[in-house]
Amino acid sequence: MMRQAGRYMAVYRKLAEKYPSFRERSETTDLIVQISLQPWEAFHPDGVIIFSDILTPLPAFGIPFDIEEVRGPVIQSPIRSEDALKELHPIDLEKLHFVGDSLRILRQEVGDQAAVLGFVGAPWTIATYIVEGGTTRTYTTIKSMIHTAPHILRSLLSHLTEAISEYIIFQVKSGAHCIQIFDSWGGQLSPYMWNHWSKPFIEEIVTVVRKKCPGTPLVLYINGNGGLLERMKGTGVDVIGLDWTVDMADGRRRLGSGISIQGNVDPAYLFSPLPALTDEIQRVVRCAGRTGHILNLGHGVLVGTPEAAVGHFFEVARSLKLDELFENYGGT
């Protein structure tokens, strides 16, 4: 389940009171392992996601950042000029030892009972933070750079592509079974612009990782990806994550049966009566088909989600009998 434990798990919030700095929690091996295992110990899903952030590797290639409680990520020196590009350097994986150490421990902790999942941000999405100086609702600075300083943006994206590729390989060699690439803000681009400013860099990452880590499944998720599905498939990833604004049946039809899909229950269903949540899970599974589907939410868990509803999600998933489910509804 794409989850933010801090949004719904009481045990996490209690730990966060003791360690109020998000970066301390996400950059300290013992805390990373403890937090990563909290949902697994509570709900026993099929995967354990390392507790981290898509911005975690930034300081390792020359971009310091802070996380403020209200503003979120803050980059004091955004990169918008050729001089600023000079601050970048190749990724120093030693500075990310806590990620590698945590993945190795998680592999030992869960054994063969669950997959260990790593993740990264896609170059375009990471670049939005670096250029804008943090989170934004409009993306006007980076979108303007496409026209006013395309060579600077392209150089930044190329540097990020190389660093992210190495970071993925590092995670896999440290113990991650699978990597999800979050191009969270790729949906802020028109399909035409995404083709030019995001897709080629994701394709390059996939090519590099395929050579160094053959057989490692790669998942691609974009928030608001309804206009990009076919283009996402063209990146060469193994799994396409669908948000809940795409009907699962439409998504399967558009993508075909040759690629796996992930999703896409609306996170708001976890606030609904449990029978309604059950019905929606069953509907999504029927629409996805018998094979090549990872049941998941269509985005992260919402603030205040009842833990009991999360537990119910997993109970329903484990109780599904596919033959019966498809037979009763005439599925194929």
Side-chain angles (χ1 to χ4, degrees):
M1 180 179 291
M2 284 199 290
R3 62 86 181 95
Q4 287 84 1
R7 294 183 174 185
Y8 72 96
M9 292 196 75
V11 64
Y12 173 84
R13 290 196 297 272
K14 184 176 180 180
L15 184 144
E17 289 176 3
K18 185 176 181 181
Y19 303 97
S21 167
F22 176 83
R23 288 195 61 181
E24 180 182 8
R25 297 194 298 273
S26 62
E27 298 179 14
T28 305
T29 300
D30 291 347
L31 296 178
I32 294 169
V33 171
Q34 184 178 346
I35 295 167
S36 300
L37 291 174
Q38 286 174 348
W40 188 67
E41 291 169 346
F43 308 113
H44 303 290
D46 300 303
V48 172
I49 307 168
I50 185 172
F51 182 75
S52 189
D53 191 83
I54 61 172
L55 301 186
T56 292
L58 264 60
F61 51 84
I63 303 175
F65 74 98
D66 299 308
I67 295 182
E68 297 181 3
E69 190 167 335
V70 176
R71 292 177 61 190
V74 177
I75 294 171
Q76 299 290 352
S77 301
I79 293 181
R80 300 169 184 168
S81 67
E82 290 186 10
D83 284 344
L85 282 174
K86 296 175 184 176
E87 299 300 317
L88 298 176
H89 56 73
I91 190 167
D92 181 356
L93 295 171
E94 284 294 319
K95 293 183 178 179
L96 297 168
H97 66 89
F98 50 87
V99 173
D101 294 343
S102 299
L103 287 167
R104 282 186 282 272
I105 295 170
L106 289 171
R107 276 291 289 265
Q108 294 173 351
E109 288 289 330
V110 303
D112 60 0
Q113 298 178 65
V116 174
L117 311 177
F119 64 91
V120 298
W124 167 263
T125 288
I126 298 296
T128 66
Y129 292 95
I130 294 172
V131 171
E132 299 281 351
T135 55
T136 176
R137 296 187 180 212
T138 60
Y139 304 88
T140 51
T141 304
I142 190 168
K143 286 185 176 182
S144 295
M145 187 180 285
I146 288 174
H147 307 287
T148 60
H151 61 294
I152 294 173
L153 181 56
R154 195 169 285 111
S155 294
L156 173 60
L157 290 168
S158 294
H159 189 93
L160 291 173
T161 297
E162 185 174 338
I164 291 165
S165 298
E166 291 189 41
Y167 188 41
I168 290 176
I169 294 164
F170 171 71
Q171 290 189 43
V172 173
K173 289 184 176 180
S174 298
H177 290 100
C178 172
I179 300 291
Q180 179 150 317
I181 301 169
F182 283 91
D183 194 10
S184 303
W185 310 132
Q188 296 294 324
L189 290 168
S190 69
Y192 174 81
M193 283 298 190
W194 188 81
N195 256 14
H196 285 80
W197 292 97
S198 185
K199 184 182 178 185
F201 303 98
I202 295 173
E203 287 177 318
E204 187 174 338
I205 289 172
V206 171
T207 299
V208 171
V209 174
R210 287 272 184 263
K211 289 179 181 177
K212 295 290 183 70
C213 306
T216 298
L218 298 175
V219 184
L220 176 59
Y221 176 82
I222 298 176
N223 190 26
N225 60 6
L228 300 171
L229 294 187
E230 292 83 0
R231 291 170 170 84
M232 292 171 69
K233 183 178 179 181
T235 61
V237 296
D238 303 281
V239 184
I240 301 294
L242 304 180
D243 73 13
W244 74 91
T245 65
V246 178
D247 184 80
M248 179 57 78
D250 291 341
R252 172 56 84 192
R253 185 164 50 250
R254 289 169 60 185
L255 291 168
S257 59
I259 189 167
S260 295
I261 50 179
Q262 177 177 270
N264 71 338
V265 175
D266 184 342
Y269 262 96
L270 293 167
F271 290 85
S272 303
L274 296 185
L277 176 58
T278 299
D279 290 345
E280 178 63 4
I281 291 170
Q282 293 176 344
R283 186 194 69 80
V284 166
V285 171
R286 288 197 306 273
C287 290
R290 287 179 177 270
T291 61
H293 175 222
I294 301 170
L295 177 63
N296 207 331
L297 297 180
H299 203 310
V301 181
L302 298 172
V303 174
T305 296
E307 287 191 49
V310 177
H312 183 74
F313 186 102
F314 288 112
E315 289 170 9
V316 172
R318 279 190 285 267
S319 69
L320 290 175
K321 296 178 175 61
L322 293 186
D323 288 340
E324 182 180 308
L325 185 67
F326 284 95
E327 181 179 334
N328 288 347
Y329 290 89
T332 57

